[in-house]
Amino acid sequence: MKHNLVDFHCHLDLFPDPASAVIDADRAGVYTLAVTTTPRAWPRNYDLTRRTQHVRAALGLHPQLVADHAAEITLWESYLPQTRYVGEVGIDAGPRYYRSLDLQRQVFERVLKQCAKAGSKVLTVHSVRAATVVLDMIEASLPLANGRVVLHWFTGSRAEARRAVELGCYFSINAEMMQNERGRVLVGTLPSNRLLTETDGPFTHLGGRPTCPTDVIVAIEAMAKLLHATAADMAETVQVNLRTLLDETGGPDRA
């Protein structure tokens, strides 16, 4: 990989002009994981990214949408052989989505088991107010030898973070996580060799506009300051971590 920046969780298909967003990320040389929120959105996202050098699409079924889209899990399964990357998937136990928690668990368990069966998948996982549940399910259904999990915008406890490390998880860090003391303390306790970066654009903003993959430099700079490193060294660390993650799951950048 010659590019220096990594945005391992971005909703490029939800930008006003998804095709331009993909082209811009690719031209900038930012290794970008373009997640999807429903299986029905997959064909378009895959088509936009499959000829790019630096952008990859992930196949998802977002936990916040499970209440209305759970039946699409069979469609998700049919598309799984087309990609190495899975996301956004996981559990959201926040008040707005708590009523669908049992259904979310059923869907996420099916996702994990199918990924374990397929092997060599990389998952970007949502775990709002559900870190222990998510980690329990990963431990039960996705052995380390069968895939890897990147915890997106992780907000669990330090104990949960330690357990996630023991389970082989990585963590994708965005600029908003670095804007509060709790987030900074958590990031400061994570092993540097498990750190990746993300924007979660367009759900995060910079200067009044949705963040795009090149804005991941803001997270890099904040992490560098926290960890007493230069931005260049922090970017290199993240790049090396991504290379290691891909090596652990079947070799470099296999779509």
Side-chain angles (χ1 to χ4, degrees), residues 115-150:
C115 287
K117 183 178 178 181
S120 301
K121 303 298 185 186
V122 181
L123 292 74
T124 175
V125 172
H126 180 114
S127 58
V128 171
R129 298 194 183 188
T132 291
V133 172
V134 164
L135 295 174
D136 285 347
M137 295 179 72
I138 292 168
E139 185 170 17
S141 300
L142 186 63
L144 259 180
N146 296 70
R148 284 291 188 279
V149 167
V150 180

Side-chain angles (χ1 to χ4, degrees), residues 63 89-94 98 101 104-105 108 112 125-140 149 151-165 167 169-171 182 186 190:
V89 294
I91 302 286
D92 192 313
Y98 199 82
L101 192 57
Q104 289 182 49
R105 290 170 70 119
F108 188 47
L112 291 172
V125 172
H126 180 114
S127 58
V128 171
R129 298 194 183 188
T132 291
V133 172
V134 164
L135 295 174
D136 285 347
M137 295 179 72
I138 292 168
E139 185 170 17
V149 167
L151 293 167
H152 145 66
W153 202 330
F154 186 74
T155 56
S157 68
R158 292 170 68 175
E160 288 167 328
R162 286 194 296 271
R163 184 182 174 204
V165 170
L167 290 174
C169 297
Y170 287 70
F171 303 81
R182 186 177 185 275
L186 177 67
L190 299 175

Side-chain angles (χ1 to χ4, degrees), residues 49-246:
T49 60
R50 65 192 179 97
R51 295 181 182 86
T52 67
Q53 184 175 357
H54 304 305
V55 185
R56 297 291 179 267
L59 172 65
L61 207 173
H62 199 295
Q64 294 177 354
L65 301 179
V66 161
D68 295 322
H69 295 268
E72 289 183 39
I73 187 62
T74 54
L75 187 61
W76 180 91
E77 289 173 335
S78 72
Y79 288 139
L80 185 60
Q82 296 181 13
T83 183
R84 176 185 195 174
Y85 302 101
V86 171
E88 183 168 356
V89 294
I91 302 286
D92 192 313
R96 290 181 61 189
Y97 308 104
Y98 199 82
R99 291 180 64 181
S100 67
L101 192 57
D102 287 344
L103 194 55
Q104 289 182 49
R105 290 170 70 119
Q106 293 172 34
V107 167
F108 188 47
E109 182 179 29
R110 198 154 154 184
V111 165
L112 291 172
K113 288 183 174 179
Q114 289 298 317
C115 287
K117 183 178 178 181
S120 301
K121 303 298 185 186
V122 181
L123 292 74
T124 175
V125 172
H126 180 114
S127 58
V128 171
R129 298 194 183 188
T132 291
V133 172
V134 164
L135 295 174
D136 285 347
M137 295 179 72
I138 292 168
E139 185 170 17
S141 300
L142 186 63
L144 259 180
N146 296 70
R148 284 291 188 279
V149 167
V150 180
L151 293 167
H152 145 66
W153 202 330
F154 186 74
T155 56
S157 68
R158 292 170 68 175
E160 288 167 328
R162 286 194 296 271
R163 184 182 174 204
V165 170
E166 292 170 359
L167 290 174
C169 297
Y170 287 70
F171 303 81
S172 54
I173 311 301
N174 61 50
E176 289 202 14
M177 294 173 67
M178 303 299 295
Q179 290 178 358
N180 62 75
E181 183 65 18
R182 186 177 185 275
R184 289 191 294 270
V185 169
L186 177 67
V187 173
T189 67
L190 299 175
S192 61
N193 67 347
R194 298 293 180 84
L195 298 176
L196 297 173
T197 43
E198 63 164 67
T199 61
D200 201 24
F203 296 107
T204 57
H205 294 81
L206 182 66
R209 61 164 176 80
T211 52
C212 59
T214 52
D215 294 322
V216 82
I217 187 63
V218 179
I220 287 287
E221 290 170 346
M223 291 162 65
K225 182 178 180 180
L226 177 71
L227 301 176
H228 307 290
T230 66
D233 285 346
M234 193 73 245
E236 175 66 17
T237 294
V238 171
Q239 182 185 359
V240 169
N241 293 347
L242 176 61
R243 188 182 302 121
T244 301
L245 171 64
L246 297 180

